[in-house]
Amino acid sequence: MKLKYKFSPNYHDSISTKGIMFDLLIGLLVVFAASDIYYFIAYGSSYGIRAIGLLISSILAAVLTEIVWCLVLKKDIKKYLNSSFPWITAIILTLTVQVSISYYALIVSTIIAIFFGKLVFGGFGQNIFNPAAVGRAVVASSFTGSVVADFVSGATPTSVFANEGWFAASNSAFNTFISKFGGLTNLFLGLYPGAIGETSVLVILLVGIFLVYRKVIDYRVPVIYIGTIFITTLIIGLMNGQGIWYPIFHIFTGGAMFGAIFMLTDPVTNPTAIPGRIVFAMGAAFFTVLIRINSNLPEGVLYSILLMNILTPAIEKMFDSHQVNSEKNNLKKVLISFVVGLIIVVGMTMFKLNYKEIAINTSALFALVK
Amino acid sequence: MSFLLGQMRHQVNGQKELTDHKDIIKLDAPSVVKIPLIVANVSCEVYVKQGDKVKVGTKIGARNDHFYCPIYSSVSGVVKGVEKLMHPTFKQVDHVVIENDGKYEAETPLKPMDFEKATHKELEDFVKNLGLIGSGGAGFPTFVKYMMPEKIDTLIINAVECEPYITSDYKGIYENLDFFVHGVRAMYKLSGGKEALVAIKENKKDLIPILQNAFKPYEGIKVSLVPDVYPMGWERTLVYELTKKRYVKLPSEVGCIVSNATTAICLGKGLTTGMPNTQKLVTISGDGVNNPSNVLVYVGTPVKELIKACGGYKGEDIVLIAGGPMMGQPMTTDEYVINPACNAVTVLQDKEHEELACLRCGRCSDFCPSGLQPVRINNSNKLKDVDALAKLHVMDCIECGLCSYVCPSKIEVTEGVKKAKKYFALKSKKK
């Protein structure tokens, strides 16, 4: 018999990091399965099989990248993979691309996501950017044309509406536009082609509820993110003569729901304190709206996540305090962040409209000079 | 639980069924008892020397500062001298060594007192001279809390016992119900409060009606049920649960006194008999002992005797903890003795935990009952950033262990915070 010295406490919860990651894996696979069934039924087996092929190739690319990393740095491969979870990044990345993407583009993006997004920062737990978002950014910036012609990549509601400058000329114009995709109800159900896992708000919400119940994600992050998008676009919509459909369209489209449940909640890259997570989600929502309406980019969710990842350390510092004693102070900080963000976003969308008018005036001035 | 705060507590499997319905094992004092000369981390003066004859209840030492507390002998016999020995505070502490003659001759240091007729001052002096200390863990002299009756509204008797494995309060109340009721009534009077709440976990279904019945005749004393979460028995969590008030340093700021149930039993016994507390009910539990039980022993009995009485160790690699598994002090020897503040020894089989990288999930911050951010404290300590540690209020940590408990990556979060506290204390002293 030997007495061993072990630091207190010698009692541990049954919840483990592996368990959390397993729940997340199940959730992601459910989203994928639901989407794949839709592709099988609506577009035929070639589409369904292709989606599965994409998923497998991305997972393989991710795992192989980490194996090579281990070989080069002489680490124990099994132990490293066991605590690194590369497949999660691969699955999230696959779910955010369209089924028409080429294998080449997805594989290269996965490798870059794992290598530059995660490994070079020190691996799981050390990365400052969401690796899947890094991979998706590579797809968006380098491989927009790398699609296979046999598969419809087609226009998504997001891309069509983005071309219109994120405002509809009138309510009836919106109705004709959205009816092509089966209306807002169909947007909720997700029965239209788009990114593999991002289309069905219903499935994502159900999985999200499961993940909250299993304590994998903090419910505050998706609630604040979606809520802030809703409020901001409601105000912007009302100021620009859009109907109540406007904020609903914003939260149903373009991966907002997927980002809220699966990407913003990534524990590694969001703040650890609760008020920090709230401000993080809020900021991402403001950036999403701003990028959608004000920039040339088609979609805001992805870049908003990467931008907020940069701010995570600053947000952490902002809420370094005694959480109970500073509760009121923290509430103040959260509310001020909200008001300031709202004013900036609403103000800048107004500025955009003004800017167009000024542009016309200056050209008129040039004409006068001539 | 509010929107900006986490749960600040967590349901923990109590493992109480290992011991709560087993008979109490009663042990005679060994041939040599060793009584520690320390009260709440401050060493005491010794009043006896080698060769002195002592009886049960002879004053052998005392802490002589503003926290006056006498120490009494638990057996009769001859003093052999003073010896340094490991103590549950994990320090070498002076112990008075007494050779037990097995006769248990007694002297009563105090006269039994009818508290209903006594004045506040008389009762306070009685508590002081009884050497009554809090049985909740820290072991501070009890009378100190009761010195300002005009400020107090509520007396809370803490029978929550939220540490896993421990059932000594529960068993003690069962066995000594009359002393308990008597002690609570005396404390109620002494506190000067308008009401007394006996806080007990709502899952102790069999004890609740017994207590409700026992306190029915006495106006102002009520049994309050609290949820089965950890650390419900911590003063701050308990006061907040019962009064929804938060305080800065001491519960008296919001008009509360919190006293442990076993302390009330000791007071009840003392008032009736005039004898100080010389015996302790100690829970020996865990998967590293053959027959987990509650053991009634004399103060000064080595722990190895208790383990022997419970069937000995089970398994080869054992973690022996003075106290419960959450807050207790792991010990490297089973020679240390039971002192008046001990209520449990947890004996566990050593299990290896695979430690993964921190995934920054923030669970430690969400569940911290003090409202701290253990993950941030650990990171700041790694960077040796004293200013950040100050901002994070590192010294408010009570080392309850919940951060390590909830950590999904099984990181020693609490240990990291303890190190940060030491580092911070050292640095701020230098300034």
Side-chain angles (χ1 to χ4, degrees):
Chain A
M1 201 281 305
K2 208 163 60 191
L3 288 183
K4 282 197 156 184
Y5 188 88
K6 280 287 189 78
F7 297 130
S8 267
N10 282 286
Y11 206 54
H12 294 277
D13 202 352
S14 53
I15 290 182
S16 67
T17 300
K18 277 181 193 162
I20 289 175
M21 288 299 165
F22 185 73
D23 283 347
L24 187 58
L25 179 69
I26 298 289
L28 288 166
L29 288 180
V30 167
V31 173
F32 179 81
S35 176
D36 205 38
I37 290 168
Y38 163 70
Y39 279 111
F40 264 110
I41 294 170
Y43 293 91
S45 54
S46 63
Y47 278 76
I49 290 165
R50 186 177 174 82
I52 295 172
L54 286 171
L55 183 72
I56 291 171
S57 56
S58 180
I59 292 176
L60 282 179
V63 173
L64 282 174
T65 310
E66 297 220 347
I67 289 176
V68 170
W69 175 261
C70 288
L71 288 175
V72 171
L73 294 180
K74 298 191 175 60
K75 287 177 194 277
D76 183 346
I77 294 172
K78 204 179 157 200
K79 209 174 154 193
Y80 194 84
L81 285 181
N82 232 339
S83 58
S84 182
F85 316 103
W87 40 87
I88 298 287
T89 304
I91 298 172
I92 294 181
L93 179 55
T94 310
L95 288 176
T96 58
V97 298
Q98 295 198 16
V99 74
S100 57
I101 190 173
S102 69
Y103 281 107
Y104 166 73
L106 182 62
I107 289 169
V108 170
S109 306
T110 308
I111 293 170
I112 291 176
I114 294 287
F115 186 76
F116 287 105
K118 193 165 99 179
L119 294 177
V120 292
F121 286 101
F124 179 77
Q126 306 285 327
N127 48 307
I128 51 171
F129 293 110
N130 188 321
V134 172
R136 186 66 186 81
V138 174
V139 174
S141 55
S142 311
F143 294 117
T144 41
S146 183
V147 291
V148 183
D150 301 346
F151 295 87
V152 279
S153 54
T156 62
T158 324
S159 62
V160 173
F161 207 62
N163 279 338
E164 298 295 313
W166 284 93
F167 288 114
S170 66
N171 283 347
S172 60
F174 177 78
N175 284 337
T176 25
F177 148 70
I178 202 70
S179 62
K180 280 182 199 157
F181 296 97
L184 282 173
T185 329
N186 197 43
L187 235 52
F188 179 72
L189 295 174
L191 303 178
Y192 62 94
I196 294 171
E198 287 179 352
T199 49
S200 179
V201 174
L202 175 70
V203 174
I204 294 167
L205 266 182
L206 290 176
V207 171
I209 291 167
F210 165 76
L211 293 178
V212 167
Y213 170 75
R214 297 283 293 171
K215 301 194 176 79
V216 174
I217 61 174
D218 184 354
Y219 73 94
R220 294 176 182 86
V221 173
V223 167
I224 291 284
Y225 179 69
I226 297 297
T228 309
I229 290 185
F230 189 89
I231 293 171
T232 316
T233 51
L234 180 72
I235 294 171
I236 293 171
L238 289 176
M239 285 169 69
N240 292 292
Q242 314 286 308
I244 185 69
W245 52 265
Y246 190 69
I248 296 174
F249 178 74
H250 264 280
I251 63 174
F252 279 6
T253 189
M257 204 55 85
F258 185 86
I261 303 280
F262 291 109
M263 294 174 90
L264 282 163
T265 53
D266 170 29
V268 180
T269 53
N270 80 20
T272 56
I274 287 170
R277 288 201 285 265
I278 291 173
V279 168
F280 175 83
M282 208 190 280
F286 287 136
F287 273 123
T288 302
V289 176
L290 204 56
I291 292 171
R292 277 182 176 178
I293 298 177
N294 265 27
S295 80
N296 291 328
L297 297 164
E299 198 2 52
V301 177
L302 157 72
Y303 292 103
S304 76
I305 293 167
L306 291 172
L307 284 169
M308 288 315 288
N309 284 164
I310 301 174
L311 292 176
T312 293
I315 297 172
E316 289 270 59
K317 274 233 166 80
M318 180 171 157
F319 290 106
D320 270 355
S321 58
H322 191 297
Q323 296 183 84
V324 177
N325 296 351
S326 333
E327 197 186 350
K328 276 201 187 115
N329 203 5
N330 287 347
L331 183 66
K332 228 184 272 169
K333 284 179 187 170
V334 168
L335 289 178
I336 290 172
S337 311
F338 180 73
V339 171
V340 169
L342 194 66
I343 290 171
I344 291 175
V345 173
V346 172
M348 281 181 80
T349 48
M350 282 165 67
F351 179 73
K352 182 195 176 188
L353 300 176
N354 290 337
Y355 178 77
K356 273 182 183 161
E357 284 164 27
I358 293 165
I360 294 162
N361 286 343
T362 43
S363 56
L365 273 176
F366 280 121
L368 277 176
V369 171
K370 275 180 188 169
Chain B
M1 192 172 124
S2 78
F3 196 66
L4 285 188
L5 291 176
Q7 291 86 330
M8 297 176 67
R9 55 199 206 182
H10 194 281
Q11 188 155 14
V12 167
N13 182 359
Q15 311 278 4
K16 310 277 190 190
E17 67 286 348
L18 286 175
T19 50
D20 62 355
H21 287 102
K22 279 194 189 161
D23 289 338
I24 292 171
I25 299 173
K26 287 178 183 152
L27 278 192
D28 271 340
S31 53
V32 174
V33 300
K34 296 165 181 176
I35 297 174
L37 288 164
I38 188 168
V39 172
N41 246 335
V42 172
S43 44
C44 306
E45 237 175 278
V46 57
Y47 293 157
V48 287
K49 56 183 188 301
Q50 200 175 351
D52 283 0
K53 275 200 73 84
V54 292
K55 290 177 181 171
V56 180
T58 306
K59 200 198 277 186
I60 56 172
R63 175 170 168 176
N64 279 324
D65 53 5
H66 55 295
F67 282 175
Y68 172 78
C69 184
I71 297 171
Y72 295 102
S73 171
S74 59
V75 292
S76 59
V78 183
V79 175
K80 285 302 208 184
V82 174
E83 185 183 303
K84 278 226 187 281
L85 203 68
M86 191 59 122
H87 186 263
T89 49
F90 215 60
K91 282 193 298 198
Q92 295 285 334
V93 167
D94 281 338
H95 287 61
V96 173
V97 182
I98 301 168
E99 199 175 58
N100 177 15
D101 60 13
K103 290 176 193 151
Y104 300 104
E105 281 175 60
E107 63 177 45
T108 42
L110 296 161
K111 277 200 197 84
M113 180 184 270
D114 181 1
F115 74 87
E116 281 172 284
K117 287 185 188 132
T119 63
H120 181 271
K121 180 77 187 128
E122 282 168 353
L123 198 53
E124 188 188 310
D125 283 343
F126 185 90
V127 172
K128 190 171 172 178
N129 291 320
L130 192 64
L132 195 62
I133 60 165
S135 305
F140 275 100
T142 300
F143 77 93
V144 181
K145 291 179 185 171
Y146 290 86
M147 280 160 68
M148 297 166 295
E150 63 283 352
K151 278 192 182 173
I152 302 303
D153 297 319
T154 312
L155 168 70
I156 298 171
I157 300 295
N158 184 351
V160 177
E161 209 165 42
C162 61
E163 269 266 1
Y165 293 107
I166 305 181
T167 55
S168 59
D169 282 355
Y170 170 85
K171 285 298 259 188
I173 294 172
Y174 242 112
E175 292 289 310
N176 305 293
L177 190 62
D178 292 343
F179 285 143
F180 179 58
V181 173
H182 199 66
V184 170
R185 287 175 60 216
M187 280 176 164
Y188 178 34
K189 187 191 169 187
L190 186 60
S191 72
K194 294 182 192 71
E195 59 171 351
L197 305 173
V198 179
I200 184 161
K201 272 192 188 172
E202 60 195 4
N203 62 346
K204 290 180 180 163
K205 294 265 187 279
D206 46 348
L207 191 54
I208 294 163
I210 296 174
L211 286 182
Q212 278 167 339
N213 219 14
F215 286 109
K216 201 175 272 170
Y218 307 108
E219 211 179 311
I221 306 179
K222 214 171 72 186
V223 178
S224 295
L225 307 186
V226 295
D228 174 27
V229 289
Y230 182 88
M232 197 66 244
W234 179 37
E235 280 186 343
R236 218 174 271 265
T237 309
L238 189 57
V239 167
Y240 181 73
E241 175 70 25
L242 294 176
T243 67
K244 296 292 163 210
K245 286 177 192 159
R246 293 198 195 275
Y247 55 87
V248 184
K249 271 206 157 84
L250 293 170
S252 58
E253 292 163 29
V254 291
C256 289
I257 295 178
V258 183
S259 267
N260 186 271
T262 300
T263 316
I265 296 172
C266 294
L267 178 60
K269 210 184 260 179
L271 285 167
T272 322
T273 61
M275 284 296 288
N277 187 37
T278 56
Q279 279 180 300
K280 278 300 291 185
L281 188 61
V282 182
T283 307
I284 310 286
S285 190
D287 59 6
V289 64
N290 280 314
N291 177 27
S293 305
N294 278 287
V295 188
L296 185 67
V297 294
Y298 286 87
V299 170
T301 309
V303 166
K304 60 177 181 188
E305 303 283 338
L306 282 72
I307 305 278
K308 213 191 281 169
C310 290
Y313 294 108
K314 190 162 96 186
E316 271 311 301
D317 289 335
I318 297 289
V319 182
L320 182 76
I321 306 158
M326 298 294 283
M327 291 193 73
Q329 169 66 49
M331 300 298 287
T332 47
T333 168
D334 53 7
E335 298 281 338
Y336 82 93
V337 299
I338 298 297
N339 66 45
C342 285
N343 54 9
V345 178
T346 307
V347 193
L348 298 173
Q349 289 182 7
D350 183 31
K351 284 185 210 85
E352 287 298 328
H353 284 287
E354 191 193 358
E355 192 174 312
L356 297 186
C358 171
L359 79 160
R360 299 174 25 85
C361 62
R363 279 171 71 81
C364 47
S365 303
D366 296 358
F367 285 104
C368 177
S370 294
L372 304 182
Q373 291 161 261
V375 53
R376 298 289 294 158
I377 291 173
N378 271 295
N379 289 345
S380 302
N381 189 40
K382 273 179 206 145
L383 300 170
K384 297 291 167 219
D385 186 345
V386 183
D387 293 338
L389 287 176
K391 222 176 138 191
L392 289 160
H393 291 79
V394 60
M395 294 316 270
D396 284 2
C397 168
I398 54 154
E399 306 176 10
C400 70
L402 199 54
C403 45
S404 289
Y405 176 86
V406 298
C407 179
S409 289
K410 313 296 171 208
I411 298 167
E412 302 282 4
V413 192
T414 313
E415 191 56 30
V417 178
K418 282 183 196 170
K419 282 188 184 132
K421 278 171 85 175
K422 275 185 198 145
Y423 177 76
F424 182 76
L426 197 74
K427 282 286 163 184
S428 36
K429 216 181 269 174
K430 273 185 189 162
K431 267 179 193 173

